[in-house]
Amino acid sequence: MSDATAVPTHCPYCSLQCGMRLRPTGTAELPAEVVERTDFPVNRGALCGKGRTAPSVLSSRVRLTEPLVRSPDSGALEPASWEEALSAVAEGLSRTRAAHGPDAVGVFGGGGLTNEKAYTLGKFARLVLATSQIDYNGRFCMSSAAAAHQRAFGLDRGLPFPLEDIPRTGCVILVGSNLAETMPPALRYLTELKENGGKLIVVDPRRTRTAEQADLHLAPRPGTDLALALGLLHLVVAEGRVDEEFVAERTTGWEAARAGAMAHWPEHVERITGVPVPRLREAVAMFCDAGNSMVLTARGPEQQSKGTDTVGAWINLCLATGRAGRPLSGYGCLTGQGNGQGGREHGQKADQLPGYRKLDDPAARAHVAGVWGVAPETLPGPGRSAYELLDALGGEVRSLLLMGSNPVVSAPHAAHVEERLRSLDFLAVADVVLSETAALADVVLPVTQWAEETGTMTNLEGRVLLRRRALTPPPGVRTDLEVLHALAGLLGWEKGFPTDPEEVFEELRRASAGGPADYSGISYRRIEEEQGVFWPCPGEGHAGTPRLFLDRFATADGRARFVPVTHRQAAEETDAEYPVVLTTGRVVSQYQSGAQTRRVAELNAAAPGPFVELHPRLAERLGVAEGEPVAVVSRRGRAVAPARITGAIRPDTVFMPFHWYGEGRANTLVNPALDPVSRMPEFKVCAVRLEPVADGRATAG
Ligand SMILES: Nc1nc2c(c(=O)[nH]1)N[C@H]1C(S)=C(S)[C@@H](COP(=O)(O)OP(=O)(O)OC[C@H]3O[C@@H](n4cnc5c(=O)[nH]c(N)nc54)[C@H](O)[C@@H]3O)O[C@H]1N2
Ligand SMILES: Nc1nc2c(c(=O)[nH]1)N[C@H]1C(S)=C(S)[C@@H](COP(=O)(O)OP(=O)(O)OC[C@H]3O[C@@H](n4cnc5c(=O)[nH]c(N)nc54)[C@H](O)[C@@H]3O)O[C@H]1N2
Ligand code: SF4
Ligand SMILES: [Mo]
């Protein structure tokens, strides 16, 4: 297969942003083929099944190819022209604004959108709609780690070092990440770590494919990572393993953090977490005996109503042992979505302006207003967080423009969110497929996909990448930037919303200049020449910053801040009525709400539907056999899915993946309790009871 006609680009899905090449085929059935691209360092040619099959979603058989408008007569979505569809959106949003004010119009974005789209969506909300009510699905993703990063280091970039550093450290504690399934090509970094003699500790209530690779697997009860991290820090102090010099020179706040940890005796921590004291000691020895070590967290410890404090406790462990701010050591968060990093930097977040600036900071407002050519006082203030925004739909927020998310499947307490979406006066959804959320809309706008448009993405390392348009999109679809340009025009903003991504990026560079996430030195040309550029990159002559904090942390005094934390319970603990813990997550062959991957035959064959993973003891008590339906009931609702019985999960816990709609929708059950700082919902812990689906059998648990 010749590469001559293949365009270098990146996968449409997760934050690894694996490099690939695409070769157009000239057919509408399957418009492109994936060709290997070995020059991109993150994946060196390796792809998971989702990446390999991604062109299937470009097929005219599964995607949207014309706008849809809900007919007042039939009540059904019917094909319409772009002019009709766009004016219906402009009218819908204007009507709400005229009747209820600008804050009655909401915007919901996504961490899969390119930097250019995320930036433009935030600008569109603040200028054209003049609303404060914008947030996005990244709130459900890494917001707890982001908040903890900010508190401790003064800056939030998921990984403060490139992935290539991982095999060269001495020990990695991987907390609540199943990267063998969620970022398969990244498993190589852990394999190389072990080949180099390094140790891997995995913290997960399930013995996952990732945990199977570990030298030490700790399986705490879900929602108890905070106690676990405090217990490890307690032992670090008790065993005299604190790096006093590092603590004195590069941190503040140690005494209070130390006191917090000393209150968490190992035996007490064992009672809370279920992890035996000898295993805690083993972990401390592995972590501290290695010359360098890292802690990496993902959604397990973060998607909790105490996710920010939990990540803070892991950061405290790194700081106390001097495992931060020096080469080959540190704390990092494995961000999830394709542009999970860039999507949280350029203004689609409720409290934020481009360049990771704060919306309530007068200097930030003045700078960005200057770039946008408006007076700072016209910019609205901070709005509601994602779940709070969804919860307010049909109440204070009466119309919504949604781009790049499928909350009917992915939001907590999903039946309630679905009902709120249905109660809106007006809903417009831009998507590539008719997702479950798009199916509720008054207007559906069909947009181009990754392979058909150019734009930048910032991967989990903080590396800014370029996706180049490789294909001509079908005639009936437009880009998200064209959609926002047209809507802005209809709403009185002829200028300021360009459709050329590079023109948007040039403006984003200026808007981000001087901010924490400074992109001002990055250009499309540089990205192509350098295999991506790491931010901050504050000038054309600046090399970019693959490694952060080596000389100083990004706080005012340059020191990292210990945050005093203590363990607290999950928002919903088990009791006699709901005796089992439900946790949720992912499988390798489906992506997120499944809107894209459920349309790929090969992936569906591998992962055809939801399931309830449970321990043989629990299954026996319940009287269900492998594959038989189980009802899982929480205070919010009931879901039914086949039993998958395995000794790889704790007997007090069940696991459901969240990729499906219908009776097996995991989020019907999930508790929308929010972290007080990050506003992250508690996706990883709620209390449930299990019932066999046939009548007459007893409740187990
Ligand atoms: N195949 C696939 N890959 C993906 C995605 C996808 O949907 N599918 N999504 C992408 C995105 S956006 C994200 S955010 C990432 C997520 O990537 P991960 O964080 O790796 O994915 P999850 O499966 O949500 O959770 C990871 C692990 O946390 C464990 N866990 C559950 N509760 C707890 C707990 O209380 N404590 C601890 N320590 N662990 C717990 C689960 O058992 C699970 O194995 O994946 C990205 N990659
Ligand atoms: N129970 C449970 N729930 C969870 C989680 C969990 O672990 N457990 N994890 C949470 C996490 S980490 C995340 S990130 C969320 C994600 O959940 P969602 O926000 O629902 O994510 P996706 O399924 O990726 O939805 C993206 C939608 O945008 C469309 N799309 C893709 N690209 C584009 C584009 O460029 N433009 C436009 N306009 N549309 C596009 C897709 O077709 C799809 O319909 O789910 C959260 N929900
Ligand atoms: S690991 Fe992520 S970026 Fe790489 S091919 Fe799979 S889904 Fe795509
Ligand atoms: Mo995510």
Side-chain angles (χ1 to χ4, degrees), residues 250-513:
R250 300 208 49 196
T251 71
T252 55
W254 168 231
E255 274 317 311
R258 181 182 183 280
M262 293 326 282
H264 291 76
W265 289 93
E267 293 71 19
H268 180 50
V269 168
E270 174 176 330
R271 274 198 301 281
I272 297 173
T273 62
V275 178
V277 175
R279 297 289 90 73
L280 299 175
R281 289 191 193 283
E282 237 179 291
V284 166
M286 276 187 191
F287 189 72
C288 295
D289 289 346
N292 291 299
S293 26
M294 295 176 176
V295 172
L296 302 176
T297 66
R299 302 307 81 79
E302 298 170 15
Q303 289 175 325
Q304 302 185 11
S305 60
K306 54 178 176 296
T308 306
D309 281 356
T310 300
V311 173
W314 288 104
I315 293 176
N316 287 352
L317 179 71
C318 290
L319 293 176
T321 52
R323 263 63 176 179
R326 58 176 227 225
L328 305 180
S329 274
Y331 163 76
C333 148
L334 299 165
T335 298
Q337 297 185 83
N339 198 25
Q341 182 66 49
R344 73 200 203 220
E345 299 164 359
H346 299 297
Q348 59 176 334
K349 207 171 170 190
D351 56 354
Q352 189 193 63
L353 288 169
Y356 224 132
R357 289 185 155 92
K358 295 289 283 178
L359 192 48
D360 56 9
D361 168 6
R365 295 171 68 87
H367 173 81
V368 175
V371 174
W372 290 350
V374 298
E377 55 280 11
T378 61
L379 299 177
R384 291 179 174 85
S385 76
Y387 181 76
E388 291 163 294
L389 177 57
L390 294 171
D391 189 39
L393 300 182
E396 285 181 45
V397 180
R398 310 206 56 89
S399 285
L400 185 73
L401 171 66
L402 184 141
M403 193 172 260
S405 181
N406 186 13
V408 165
V409 177
S410 58
H413 201 183
H416 172 69
V417 166
E418 183 172 350
E419 183 252 320
R420 293 290 86 213
L421 282 158
R422 288 180 192 278
S423 74
L424 281 166
D425 294 344
F426 182 78
L427 173 63
V429 174
D431 205 310
V432 300
V433 294
L434 191 67
S435 72
E436 287 77 7
T437 307
L440 302 182
D442 298 291
V443 178
V444 180
L445 303 169
V447 293
T448 52
Q449 303 184 38
W450 56 291
E452 300 160 344
E453 53 187 24
T454 295
T456 61
M457 308 285 284
T458 306
N459 84 343
L460 76 172
E461 306 168 286
R463 188 196 297 257
V464 185
L465 304 167
L466 185 64
R467 283 186 188 159
R468 277 279 183 210
R469 175 173 149 142
L471 301 174
T472 309
V477 303
R478 295 195 184 177
T479 69
D480 288 300
L481 291 180
E482 286 168 349
V483 166
L484 293 172
H485 169 84
L487 289 175
L490 290 171
L491 295 166
W493 290 76
E494 297 297 331
K495 288 218 178 74
F497 294 87
T499 57
D500 172 20
E502 192 162 5
E503 196 179 333
V504 176
F505 190 77
E506 290 300 312
E507 184 182 309
L508 181 159
R509 289 174 66 177
R510 282 184 283 123
S512 75

Side-chain angles (χ1 to χ4, degrees), residues 189-209:
Y189 295 98
L190 299 178
T191 314
E192 286 175 12
L193 168 78
K194 293 203 296 171
E195 285 166 4
N196 294 344
K199 297 279 190 231
L200 175 63
I201 303 173
V202 171
V203 182
D204 195 307
R206 303 186 301 141
R207 194 174 68 248
T208 59
R209 286 187 207 170

Side-chain angles (χ1 to χ4, degrees), residues 65-69 78-89 443-446 476 478:
T65 52
E66 55 192 352
L68 304 171
V69 174
E78 289 178 0
S81 71
W82 270 98
E83 288 60 39
E84 288 167 326
L86 289 167
S87 30
V89 177
V443 178
V444 180
L445 303 169
R478 295 195 184 177

